[in-house]
Amino acid sequence: MCDTEELFDTTNRLGFFGWLRSGRDAMRKKMTVIKEIIRKPGDYDLVVLGTPDWGGMPSPAIRTYITQNLNALKSVAFFCTHGGSNADRVFAELENICDRKAVALLNVKTKDVNKGFFADKIKQFVEKIK
Ligand SMILES: Cc1cc2nc3c(=O)[nH]c(=O)nc-3n(C[C@H](O)[C@H](O)[C@H](O)COP(=O)(O)O)c2cc1C
C-alpha cells in the first residue's frame, strides 16, 4: 500500500478543442493551475510521478506539480501511460524537470491497461522501487 495524490487540472480539456489545447500546451511545456494538493511530498523518501504522454511530453499538470514541489522531492520514479509511443521522450523531460534521474520507469499502453496486460511490468517496477 502507498499514499496517493490525484492531480486536478483546472484548465478545460474537454472535447476536440480541449484535446487540441492539451497537446499544444504539453508540447509548449506550459504550466497550468492545479487544485491544492493534500499530501506533502517532503514527507516521503520516494515519490512515484505519473503522467499520460501528450505529444511526447508530460502533461502540464505533472509539470506544474513537480515545479511547485521540486525542493521537497527526494527520490523519484516515473510511470507514463500512452497510446503506443515508447515514452522515452516523456521520461527524459520528466528527468529534466526534476533535475535528477528516476530510480525506476514504467510505461504502459492504454490498450494493455484495458486488457490487464501489464501485471509483469508493474511487478518489475515495484521490485526496483522497494
Ligand atoms: C492531447 C493528447 C495527446 C496525446 N499524444 C500522444 C502521443 O503523442 N503518443 C501516444 O502514444 N499517446 C498519446 N496520447 C494518448 C494518451 O497518452 C493516452 O490516451 C493516455 O495515456 C491514457 O491515459 P488517460 O486515460 O489518463 O488519459 C495523447 C492523448 C491526448 C489526449
Side-chain angles (χ1 to χ4, degrees), residues 29-83:
K29 304 186 179 184
K30 280 211 170 181
M31 303 276 273
T32 186
V33 176
I34 54 172
K35 284 192 189 163
E36 198 178 337
I37 56 168
I38 299 160
R39 312 217 183 257
K40 289 188 187 138
D43 290 347
Y44 301 87
D45 294 331
L46 169 84
V47 177
V48 178
L49 300 159
T51 180
D53 178 332
W54 283 358
M57 281 287 143
S59 67
I62 196 73
R63 181 181 293 280
T64 304
Y65 174 84
I66 296 168
T67 306
Q68 289 176 350
N69 295 285
L70 194 55
N71 293 334
L73 290 170
K74 294 167 195 157
S75 286
V76 291
F78 307 143
F79 70 87
C80 176
T81 57
H82 58 88

Side-chain angles (χ1 to χ4, degrees), residues 18-20 22-24 51-57 80-86 108 110:
W19 178 82
L20 268 188
S22 300
R24 191 191 55 200
T51 180
D53 178 332
W54 283 358
M57 281 287 143
C80 176
T81 57
H82 58 88
S85 306
N86 60 18
V108 262
T110 312

